[in-house]
Amino acid sequence: MSDAYLALEDGRVVEARGRVPGRTRGELVFTTAYTGYEESLTDPSYEEQVLTFSYPLIGNYGVRAERFESDRVHPRAAVAREFTEDVVEWLADEGVPAVDHVDTRDLVTSIREEGAMKVGIAVGEDATPEAAKEELAKCKGMSEHVDIGAQVTTTELTTYEGDGDQTVTLIDCGAKQSIIDSLVERGATVHVLPYDATADDVSALDSDILFVSNGPGDPENFTATRELVEEFAGEVPIAGICLGQQIVASALGGTTGKMAFGHRGVNQPVRDLQTGKVIMTTQNHGYTVEDPGEHLDVTQVNVNDDTAEGLASEELSVITRQYHPEAHPGPHDSLGFFDDVLSMGTPEGNGRKRRVVASD
């Protein structure tokens, strides 16, 4: 007798073994990463999603807090072929439902063929298919989570001191700790502001660079952050990662859209259009830049589907990446991005500039 059920948007109900009890719902997605499960489970970009691991054994090197990307687990539930006891205990402490003994190959194939889908989950001694279906009925699409930024952002200004002269104002839309660490390791002092910070908040810090972080959900719902990019474009160098790239593009006249099943894993190949070099990257996103607009150039593309992986404007001092250059535990092919970002804030990199553009 099963003690866990997953009710899928395509009408199927999947039986599983319950590892952590509870009832929940979310967008069912998968990651192909075979390491980095601690980083994935604490990545704020997975907020309001149910994370399926395609690799069959999750937890084979334990759980260590120093690998976490935030202070909590963000997926609403976790699914695997098999979880170790270390991971189960961790998820239980976090109150996050977990199931295993699932044919994850079948789930991943369904998501690839039909797209990311809503799922309802019921786990525990009293779990029933009907309970899972009740959760499914209450599930929202990702774009319907209009205030998702409030669930993952800092609530107040937080400063991380570097030992150099440069300063970065990072807008926290759900930032991974590794992004902050990568900047501080290069000497920058990083001022972290909430996703709904005002232009006055940013101006008061008078930083060399404005940085828009990664985060969950639809970029079109991050109105306040988009307005910051519109306000400071052409005056302060701007950088962005993942959701940050999408917000920057939207603010400068580009368009974004939802992908069928997104890019989530540690083996996504990206080609630089200037050098022709291909690097391997870590990615976690379900939305993408469809058209960068007239102010930004596409500098890198995904080898698999040709989606935009890098954008830039020399005139506006803008540089963004769709993937995660800070990638932990790896690969580390793209760590030089942070050096490129900080170079924009130096006199040689043009530093502050007069206003050049305003978005329509």
Side-chain angles (χ1 to χ4, degrees), residues 96-115:
V96 175
V99 304
D100 63 6
H101 285 192
V102 176
D103 184 350
T104 50
R105 293 172 299 179
D106 181 61
L107 275 187
V108 169
T109 299
S110 295
I111 295 169
R112 284 187 60 89
E113 292 178 350
E114 303 174 37

Side-chain angles (χ1 to χ4, degrees), residues 120-142:
I121 296 178
V123 188
E125 294 181 357
D126 59 348
T128 63
E130 290 70 26
K133 291 177 182 178
E134 289 173 4
E135 291 296 321
L136 173 62
K138 294 184 286 186
C139 188
K140 294 181 179 179
M142 287 304 294

